[in-house]
């Protein structure tokens, strides 16, 4: 009898101690609607280009102590004469295209051998090999070539190739700066077809007359860029990075907007972090400001300075069929201080053949969760926000509120539980303005794809740290200071 009592007592103790601790998770937080509005096209925030370049070059050595910080601006800054509502509507349209492109890329057959020889004479087929630069949301400015020609370039964690438009142009879209002419650069050098760099391309071709490497990136929406694959020097403020493999696009067409090209920040070997790993110790981070409430610039940092001491880290996962995206393990979600029962870790599992999972993406705006998880989370939020006045749906958002004439409101808290890192979101990261009349919507959406995506609205205000050497991603709150 005594043994049974002890066993029962042990079971009860185990049950209570195994329950998730909610004492540190507040149920509500304050949102001040009047301090947040739809952002307009703010001025570009870049430093003057006349800043002298240091003679200490960051070349092919292993100077892991070097760090570079660059300002980022939202792609809306390249738009003129458009209202905040028009800019937001365009953003959601770009977002929809990007999510569709990501889902197509993630669902494709496993990647073929990346060391195969390039096809002679050019290309015979279209390969889905990245995401449309037109769907990238943030861009920066740096120099290309010697002497440096400064251009705007979109940064994208969902792409692996660095490319820009080049003269002579067979087909080029309109960009803000003169098109880069490699003939005027002393450091431009084509890559031989036999080079290991050429063999790393997903879709490589060979100019049989010159025996030089050709690249092709085709996108799910029909956009593409084709041209020479070469090495070039990139200039970031006072630092020059030599020998970066870049696509010099002579034939570019599609939904590309304003910028000269793309700086791929994906996990693949030909992305900028993949190529410059030794120089920047395989670390970079960015912090995206809430443009509806702050005039500070967003920023990206390469090198050891990218790692914040306050960051909470979660391990990176490997996808056996696709190495571009940054996969993480999402275990659950809390709303109003309580774990949502219908949001199970199994819904976000990356299986052995590379299907499903969760990625962190800089170019997707609105977080997409697999449909069952989203519905459970949304319903929990609606219950917690039942005191707020509901408003009609808006675009992809099915949970909206009329907060006009409200000085402040209490909203349920939202916490994302990654393995090893609980990320508590500010209210402004999930209840956002969608017009200028006080309508706010719950900034999550469901997806019928098996892939969930953590978007940049939910990342706002955090310094998101990519430590590729440590195979981890970190989140540091209030990281844009």
């Amino acid at each position: 009898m005594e043994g049974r009592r002890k066993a029962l007592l042990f079971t009860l103790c185990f049950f209570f101690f195994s329950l998730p601790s909610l004492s540190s998770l507040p149920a509500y937080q304050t949102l001040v609607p009047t301090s947040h509005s739809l952002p307009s096209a703010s001025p570009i925030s870049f430093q003057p280009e006349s800043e002298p370049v240091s003679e200490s070059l960051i070349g092919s050595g292993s100077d892991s102590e070097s760090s570079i910080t660059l300002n980022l601006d939202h792609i809306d800054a390249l738009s003129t004469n458009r209202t905040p509502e028009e800019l937001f509507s365009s953003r959601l349209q770009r977002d929809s295209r990007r999510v569709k492109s990501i889902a197509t890329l993630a669902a494709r057959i496993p990647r073929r051998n990346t060391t195969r020889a390039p096809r002679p004479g050019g290309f015979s087929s279209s390969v889905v090999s990245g995401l449309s630069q037109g769907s990238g949301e943030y861009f920066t400015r740096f120099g290309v070539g010697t002497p440096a020609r400064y251009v705007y370039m979109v940064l994208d964690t969902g792409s692996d190739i660095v490319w820009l438009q080049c003269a002579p142009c067979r087909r080029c879209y309109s960009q803000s700066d003169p098109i880069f002419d490699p003939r005027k650069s002393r450091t431009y050098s084509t890559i031989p077809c036999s080079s290991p760099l050429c063999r790393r391309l997903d879709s490589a071709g060979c100019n049989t007359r010159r025996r030089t490497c050709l690249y092709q990136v085709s996108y799910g929406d029909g956009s593409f860029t084709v041209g020479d694959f070469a090495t070039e020097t990139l200039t970031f403020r006072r630092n020059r990075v030599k020998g970066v493999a870049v696509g010099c696009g002579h034939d570019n067409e599609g939904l590309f907007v304003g910028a000269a090209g793309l700086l791929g920040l994906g996990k693949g070997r030909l992305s900028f972090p993949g190529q410059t790993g030794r120089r920047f110790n395989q670390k970079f981070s960015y912090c995206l400001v809430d443009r509806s409430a702050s005039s500070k610039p967003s920023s990206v940092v390469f090198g050891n300075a990218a790692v914040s001491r306050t960051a909470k880290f979660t391990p990176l996962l490997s996808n056996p069929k696709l190495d571009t995206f940054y996969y993480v393990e999402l275990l659950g979600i809390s709303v109003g201080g309580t774990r949502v029962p219908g949001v199970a870790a199994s819904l976000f599992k990356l299986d052995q053949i590379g299907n499903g999972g969760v990625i962190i993406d800089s170019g997707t705006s609105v977080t997409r969760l697999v449909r069952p998880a989203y519905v459970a989370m949304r319903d929990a939020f609606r219950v917690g926000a039942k005191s707020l006045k509901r408003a009609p749906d808006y675009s992809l958002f099915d949970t909206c509120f009329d907060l006009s004439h409200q000085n402040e409101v209490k909203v349920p808290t939202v916490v994302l539980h990654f393995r090893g890192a609980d990320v508590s979101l500010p209210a402004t990261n999930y209840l956002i303005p969608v017009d200028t009349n006080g309508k706010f919507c719950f900034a999550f959406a469901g997806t019928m794809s098996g892939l969930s995506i953590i978007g940049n609205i939910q990342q706002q205000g955090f310094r998101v740290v990519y430590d590729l050497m440590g195979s981890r991603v970190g989140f540091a709150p209030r990281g844009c200071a």
Side-chain angles (χ1 to χ4, degrees), residues 4 24 39 62 66 128 210 235 240 245 292 302 314 366 394 402 427 433 448:
R4 289 183 179 177
S24 60
S62 57
S66 299
V128 177
R210 294 183 294 143
T235 301
R240 283 183 285 185
S292 70
F302 296 97
T314 186
V366 179
Y394 181 89
D402 179 3
M448 300 307 293

Side-chain angles (χ1 to χ4, degrees), residues 59-354:
S60 57
S62 57
D63 185 6
S64 61
E65 296 304 312
S66 299
S67 293
I68 293 173
T69 301
L70 300 172
N71 286 349
L72 298 178
D73 274 280
H74 194 268
I75 200 73
D76 286 349
L78 294 179
S79 300
T80 57
N81 301 322
R82 302 188 71 187
T83 67
E85 286 90 348
E86 290 171 338
L87 291 172
F88 187 65
S89 178
S90 295
R91 183 181 186 184
L92 294 182
Q93 291 173 20
R94 291 193 304 270
D95 205 44
S96 178
R97 290 194 297 263
R98 182 179 180 87
V99 169
K100 182 178 179 180
S101 183
I102 289 177
T104 300
L105 186 59
R108 71 177 183 172
I109 59 175
R111 176 174 296 187
R112 298 187 296 275
N113 178 14
T114 57
T115 61
R116 65 189 181 281
R119 289 187 291 271
F123 306 96
S124 60
S125 64
S126 176
V127 177
V128 177
S129 182
L131 303 171
S132 170
Q133 182 246 327
S135 69
E137 290 296 295
Y138 290 87
F139 65 94
T140 191
R141 189 169 180 83
F142 55 82
V144 180
T146 307
R149 309 287 181 178
Y150 282 80
V151 292
Y152 295 122
M153 296 280 279
V154 168
L155 278 72
D156 186 7
T157 57
S159 298
D160 285 334
I161 300 293
V162 180
W163 67 267
L164 77 161
Q165 297 197 110
C166 287
C169 245
R170 287 191 290 274
R171 278 182 294 188
C172 282
Y173 59 87
S174 177
Q175 66 177 58
S176 301
D177 297 291
I179 291 174
F180 176 72
D181 189 343
R183 295 166 296 188
K184 297 180 180 179
S185 171
R186 298 192 302 270
T187 47
Y188 179 88
S189 178
T190 56
I191 294 173
C193 298
S194 58
S195 167
L197 276 175
C198 189
R199 292 171 181 265
R200 290 181 188 174
L201 287 166
D202 270 359
S203 182
C206 183
N207 183 313
T208 52
R209 181 174 58 85
R210 294 183 294 143
R211 303 302 302 166
T212 55
C213 187
L214 304 174
Y215 82 100
Q216 171 185 252
V217 182
S218 301
Y219 303 103
D221 59 10
S223 306
F224 63 84
T225 173
V226 179
D228 296 309
F229 201 47
T231 59
E232 184 56 287
T233 294
L234 305 183
T235 301
F236 301 88
R237 290 192 177 177
R238 293 181 178 272
N239 298 290
R240 283 183 285 185
V241 183
K242 299 187 296 183
V244 178
V246 301
C248 201
H250 301 289
D251 193 352
N252 318 283
E253 190 172 294
L255 299 172
F256 305 124
V257 181
L262 182 143
L263 188 74
L265 298 181
K267 203 160 164 274
R269 292 183 297 173
L270 286 177
S271 72
F272 185 71
Q275 292 191 57
T276 60
R278 292 180 63 196
R279 302 164 198 180
F280 299 123
N281 217 16
Q282 294 185 292
K283 297 177 176 67
F284 74 95
S285 68
Y286 55 73
C287 195
L288 310 176
V289 301
D290 179 357
R291 296 181 301 120
S292 70
S294 175
S295 59
K296 293 180 181 178
S298 300
S299 65
V300 62
V301 181
F302 296 97
N304 287 340
V307 180
S308 170
R309 295 179 181 177
T310 62
K312 298 177 181 178
F313 285 93
T314 186
L316 280 171
L317 306 179
S318 295
N319 186 331
K321 71 174 181 179
L322 184 65
D323 59 9
T324 298
F325 298 129
Y326 294 96
Y327 283 85
V328 292
E329 188 174 4
L330 183 60
L331 302 178
I333 297 173
S334 289
V335 174
T338 303
R339 290 286 279 258
V340 180
V343 183
S346 58
L347 294 173
F348 306 114
K349 185 175 177 59
L350 176 66
D351 67 25
Q352 294 182 346
I353 60 173

